[in-house]
Amino acid sequence: MKRKLLALLCAAALACTAITPWTVSAQESGESSVVVTMTTSSEPESGFDPAYGWGAGEHVHEPLIQSTLLVTNTDLSLGMDLATEYSVSEDGLTWTVKIRDDVKFTDGERLTASDVAFTYNNCRENSSVNDFTMLDYAEATDDTTVVFHMTRAFSPWPYTMAITGIVPEHAYDENYGQNPIGSGRYILKQWDRGQQVILEANPDYYGEEIKIKKVTILFMDEEASLAAAMAGQADVSYTASTYAEMVPEGYTLFEAESVDNRGINLPTVSAAEIDGLTVGNDVLADLSVRRAINIGIDRETMIEHVLGGYGTPAYSVCDQMPWYNEASEVTYDPEGAAALLDEAGWIEGEDGIREKDGLRCAFTIMYNPSDSVRQGLAEEMANQLKALGMDVTTEGAGWDVAYDKAQSQPLMWGWGAHSPMEFYNIYHTAPGSELAEYSPYANEKVDAYMDQALSTSDLEEAYELWQKAQFDGTTGITQDGDIPWVWLCNVSHLYFVKDGLQVAEQKIHPHGHGWSIVNNVDQWEWAE
C-alpha cells in the first residue's frame, strides 16, 4: 500500500517537474553519459566563479570546470592537480608552488602562474564565502611558479588550494560565473537556471582519461528526484532516509559516508543582556548538565528512529578527519548522567523534572522548520532527555532569527568540512568578542592551541595541536572538558543508482547533499 501510494505521489510530482526528453538515461541512449539529480540548494546562485562561492559551501569539491592546485584524495590526504610541488617557509609566511607547463584553458590559451596569482588576488578582494584574509598577495615569479605571501601563518592553506578553481586572467569579467572558461575535466555547455546544468568532457584535459563524456545535473526537491528515478529518467538520484526503502525497480541504494554532522550548541555562560540580546543560559551554564546531556542520549536509537539507520554516531565536528581526537567519544550512560545531575544538586520534583535552587531544568531546542531531519532529531532528543528529568521543548526557528536565539538556547545545526577551520570557526573566540561566534563559549587554552596550529608551518604538527585543542588531558571541548556542543550523528548521503552504473569510490562527503557525489564522475563507468 505504501509503495502504491508513493507511486501515485511520484507520478503527480513527475508531471509537475521540468523533466524533458533530454533526461533519457545514459544506459538507454548508449552514450557514456549520466543524468544526476541534486538538491535545489546545490545550484550556485552566483554561478561557477570561485570568487563567489563555487567550490565552497554546498559546492565543496575540486571544481569540475576549473583546475585546482591540489586535491584531497579519497583517504583525505593531499594530492597534486596543477601543482607539481609546493613548500612553505619556516615562518609560514611564504608558500611557493610549482605548476605544470602543459595545461591549456578551453579557449586554447595556456594556463600559467599569472592566472593562478590573478585568481587568488581576485578571491582575496572579492570572495563572499571562503576566507582569504590570511593572503597578502600572490605573485607569479615565472610561468610555472607562484608565490603566496601571507599576512599571517596559516597551516590549513593546502586545503584552500584544493578547492579554489583557477580562472583565466585574459577572459575574466563580471559575467564569468555565467559562462566560465576553465582547464578542468568538463566544459559548461548549458545552464538553465532553476532546472539543469549540462557538462561535457574537456577534450584537451591533461589528466586521466575522462570516462563519462556528458553529465546532466537536474536541480530538484526530494519528491521530484524520487519521481525521476521511478520514471527511469535519472541515473543517480539523491534521496532521503524517508524514501530509502522505496528503491525503484532497476536501481540500488547507494550510501555515502559523511562528516555531515548534526548537533546542538550549549551556551556555557549564565544569561545576561548584551547589546539588547540575551546571551547565555542559566541551566546550561552548569557543566554537569552539559555533561549529562552528552552521555545521556542514545545516538544509535536516535539514528534508527530519525534516519532509518542511515547514519553514524557523531562525537565531534572533526569525526573521521586526520585531526580528530578520539577523546571526544563517549558511551551512552543514562545512569551516569543521572548521577552527575544528582551530585550537582539537580533534584527531581513531583512532576519528574529536576530543579536546583528554584531553577527548573528546562530549555528549548530550536530547529529549522524546513528541515524534517533536524526537527526529528530535536524531538527525539527532547524525548530522551525527559527520562533524565529535563523539560525540553522544541521550536521551529528560521535562519533570520535562529542565529540570535542560539546565543541563549540550543539550535540543531549542520556542519562538516574537509578542513580544521570548521572546528576553529565553531569554538574559537570571535574577533572583537570575548565569546565564540555561534554560541557563547570561551577557553583561552583552547584558543591558544588553535592559534598555534594555524601558525605552524608543518601540517602534521598542526594536526596534533588541533587534537590538543579538543582535549589535552586536562581541558578542551570534550566530555571531560567544557562540552560546549553535543554532536549527535553524521547523516549518510543516499542515492538511487541505476543498475549497471559503477560509481567510483567516494571520499567522505562534507556537509551538504550536493556536488560531492560527482567529485569523480569522470571515473564512473557503465558495465558492458
Side-chain angles (χ1 to χ4, degrees):
M1 178 63 71
K2 183 177 180 182
R3 178 175 287 273
K4 186 175 181 180
L5 176 60
L6 189 56
L8 291 172
L9 291 172
C10 287
L14 189 59
C16 298
T17 65
I19 295 179
T20 53
W22 45 254
T23 61
V24 62
S25 78
Q27 195 174 42
E28 291 173 353
S29 67
E31 300 175 2
S32 56
S33 60
V34 292
V35 176
V36 180
T37 71
M38 285 188 193
T39 63
T40 54
S41 63
S42 294
E43 184 175 23
E45 289 184 17
S46 300
F48 300 86
D49 187 339
Y52 299 101
W54 176 239
E58 283 282 327
H59 324 113
V60 175
H61 61 98
E62 291 82 41
L64 300 169
I65 300 166
Q66 298 91 359
S67 303
T68 53
L69 292 174
L70 303 179
V71 296
T72 50
N73 300 315
T74 52
D75 63 357
L76 300 185
S77 63
L78 291 162
M80 303 291 184
D81 187 3
L82 287 178
T84 58
E85 62 180 90
Y86 68 95
S87 61
V88 59
S89 60
E90 190 172 339
D91 62 6
L93 295 177
T94 307
W95 292 79
T96 303
V97 183
K98 298 288 290 185
I99 67 169
R100 303 171 63 119
D101 62 1
D102 61 346
V103 179
K104 292 182 179 181
F105 290 107
T106 53
D107 63 358
E109 294 291 324
R110 183 183 171 206
L111 185 155
T112 71
S114 291
D115 296 296
V116 178
F118 170 80
T119 297
Y120 278 81
N121 288 330
N122 183 55
C123 286
R124 177 200 60 196
E125 295 297 323
N126 299 304
S127 181
S128 58
V129 176
N130 279 337
D131 180 13
F132 285 86
T133 58
M134 72 295 296
L135 176 64
D136 187 6
Y137 66 98
E139 66 168 337
T141 56
D142 59 43
D143 280 356
T144 59
T145 308
V146 62
V147 179
F148 298 108
H149 300 275
M150 315 300 282
T151 59
R152 62 183 187 275
F154 187 71
S155 63
W157 186 246
Y159 294 100
T160 300
M161 293 195 286
I163 62 171
T164 304
I166 304 305
V167 304
E169 182 176 9
H170 67 274
Y172 184 87
D173 59 23
E174 65 275 8
N175 298 315
Y176 175 83
Q178 319 310 311
N179 298 287
I181 293 172
S183 59
R185 291 161 284 171
Y186 289 94
I187 301 169
L188 178 65
K189 299 299 290 186
Q190 186 174 332
W191 179 20
D192 301 313
R193 280 186 176 272
Q195 294 185 18
Q196 65 166 336
V197 162
I198 299 177
L199 305 171
E200 291 186 0
N202 177 2
D204 298 319
Y205 181 58
Y206 52 87
E208 290 185 60
E209 178 190 357
I210 298 172
K211 298 176 181 178
I212 297 296
K213 306 301 184 184
K214 179 180 178 182
V215 182
T216 301
I217 294 169
L218 310 179
F219 302 110
M220 295 179 161
D221 61 26
E222 289 179 1
E223 289 76 16
S225 178
L226 177 59
M230 294 193 73
Q233 293 186 315
D235 302 308
V236 175
S237 292
Y238 85 92
T239 192
S241 57
T242 309
Y243 305 126
E245 302 305 316
M246 311 302 294
V247 182
E249 185 176 353
Y251 289 78
T252 57
L253 182 68
F254 181 85
E255 181 177 2
E257 285 189 72
S258 87
V259 65
D260 195 350
N261 313 78
R262 297 295 179 270
I264 64 169
N265 63 299
L266 300 177
T268 62
V269 299
S270 298
E273 292 294 317
I274 300 178
D275 297 328
L277 182 68
T278 301
V279 175
N281 184 293
D282 291 339
V283 173
L284 298 171
D286 189 322
L287 176 60
S288 296
V289 173
R290 302 198 300 274
R291 287 178 171 174
I293 292 172
N294 195 35
I295 64 172
I297 51 175
D298 186 343
R299 291 167 172 82
E300 295 285 0
T301 296
M302 188 173 291
I303 291 167
E304 192 63 37
H305 286 177
V306 182
L307 302 179
Y310 296 106
T312 57
Y315 305 100
S316 165
V317 75
C318 307
D319 278 1
Q320 306 175 80
M321 298 295 104
W323 48 90
Y324 173 61
N325 188 335
E326 293 182 357
S328 299
E329 294 180 25
V330 294
T331 301
Y332 173 51
D333 184 7
E335 293 80 13
L340 282 172
L341 295 170
D342 290 340
E343 292 168 9
W346 291 93
I347 308 303
E348 284 192 11
E350 293 183 1
D351 61 354
I353 302 303
R354 294 175 181 268
E355 293 185 0
K356 179 180 179 180
D357 299 329
L359 179 64
R360 189 174 173 84
C361 193
F363 56 90
T364 298
I365 298 177
M366 299 176 293
Y367 59 87
N368 187 302
S370 66
D371 191 320
S372 61
V373 169
R374 297 191 198 200
Q375 179 178 359
L377 290 171
E379 292 174 351
E380 173 71 20
M381 196 169 187
N383 289 335
Q384 290 194 18
L385 292 178
K386 185 175 182 180
L388 290 178
M390 299 185 187
D391 182 13
V392 181
T393 55
T394 60
E395 174 191 335
W399 293 116
D400 56 333
V401 297
Y403 287 103
D404 283 347
K405 287 189 172 184
Q407 295 298 316
S408 60
Q409 295 287 352
L411 172 66
M412 189 64 64
W413 297 83
W415 295 92
H418 295 157
S419 168
M421 289 306 294
E422 193 89 332
F423 179 82
Y424 180 96
N425 293 333
I426 292 172
Y427 292 104
H428 196 283
T429 302
S433 174
E434 296 181 356
L435 298 167
E437 179 176 1
Y438 298 104
S439 184
Y441 169 67
N443 183 317
E444 290 183 1
K445 196 165 186 180
V446 170
D447 280 357
Y449 281 128
M450 288 191 276
D451 292 339
Q452 191 179 351
L454 291 182
S455 65
T456 181
S457 60
D458 185 310
L459 199 57
E460 296 297 326
E461 181 183 339
Y463 289 165
E464 295 179 9
L465 290 164
W466 291 115
Q467 290 166 352
K468 286 186 176 180
Q470 292 162 68
F471 192 66
D472 66 359
T474 303
T475 191
I477 52 83
T478 62
Q479 176 69 11
D480 291 331
D482 301 323
I483 199 67
W485 289 66
V486 165
W487 301 98
L488 307 174
C489 58
N490 300 303
V491 180
S492 292
H493 290 173
L494 303 176
Y495 306 86
F496 295 130
V497 177
K498 182 162 284 188
D499 293 346
L501 178 60
Q502 299 173 355
V503 173
E505 180 185 0
Q506 299 286 299
K507 59 187 170 188
I508 296 171
H509 286 194
H511 177 56
H513 202 160
W515 290 84
S516 293
I517 186 65
V518 295
N519 217 11
N520 55 12
V521 66
D522 54 302
Q523 296 305 307
W524 296 5
E525 292 184 279
W526 285 101
E528 295 183 1

